[in-house]
Amino acid sequence: AYGPSAWLWDYLRRSGQRGYFLPLSGGADSSSTAALVGIMCQRVFKELTEGTERSKAATLADIRKVTKRPFYTPPSWQDFCGKIFVTCYMASEHSGSETRSRAENLAKQLGANHTSIAIRPITDAIVKVFQQCHLEGTKIE
């Protein structure tokens, strides 16, 4: 997990973005991805608190650049995670309370900002658009 978490931090530092957004279903795939972001936050915080003086200064500068908070010093890795990580449970008619609970609990443990939305109105609208689509041409019958 060290390689991918290091890549996530390097990408975030270089991209100019403020963090990551992850649809968190509570399943294995999205939960593993969330865990990698959590590991990234732990490693960055560890470097900030235990690294050499030069490394601490560089890490703090990177944290402030990424969070766009010029005076921010994270008191914990979870607090840092809350500044750069947003998760969202996207509920459908097939969703259950167990997966919702797993997603909420994982986001809370990581310190991520977590929300949820019902995606049925969105998916219904997309289906409606495609149902009204008229294809022209001879290649599609």
Side-chain angles (χ1 to χ4, degrees):
Y2 282 168
S5 63
W7 182 87
L8 286 170
W9 178 239
D10 189 52
Y11 178 81
L12 195 56
R13 286 184 319 108
R14 294 171 187 257
S15 70
Q17 300 301 309
R18 285 193 66 185
Y20 292 107
F21 173 84
L22 177 69
L24 184 57
S25 68
D29 295 339
S30 63
S31 295
S32 297
T33 303
L36 287 173
V37 176
I39 291 166
M40 178 198 76
C41 293
Q42 290 173 9
R43 294 184 67 206
V44 170
F45 186 75
K46 184 175 182 178
E47 191 63 30
L48 177 66
T49 58
E50 298 177 16
T52 65
E53 291 307 311
R54 181 177 176 198
S55 177
K56 289 178 183 180
T59 301
L60 184 58
D62 287 339
I63 288 170
R64 290 174 173 174
K65 177 183 169 192
V66 167
T67 62
K68 302 200 181 344
R69 296 169 185 250
F71 304 106
Y72 173 65
T73 301
S76 68
W77 68 267
Q78 292 96 336
D79 187 79
F80 174 55
C81 198
K83 300 289 187 279
I84 63 165
F85 193 32
V86 176
T87 59
C88 181
Y89 184 78
M90 298 180 175
S92 73
E93 65 272 13
H94 305 291
S95 302
S97 60
E98 186 174 324
T99 56
R100 177 186 294 270
S101 176
R102 284 197 305 249
E104 289 172 353
N105 288 336
L106 178 56
K108 184 178 180 180
Q109 289 174 2
L110 296 175
N113 287 293
H114 185 72
T115 189
S116 63
I117 61 169
I119 61 169
R120 179 68 188 257
I122 299 166
T123 56
D124 286 349
I126 293 169
V127 168
K128 185 176 179 181
V129 166
F130 281 102
Q131 287 172 338
Q132 295 172 356
C133 184
H134 299 287
L135 300 174
E136 297 177 15
T138 59
K139 295 183 180 184
I140 300 175
E141 296 181 23

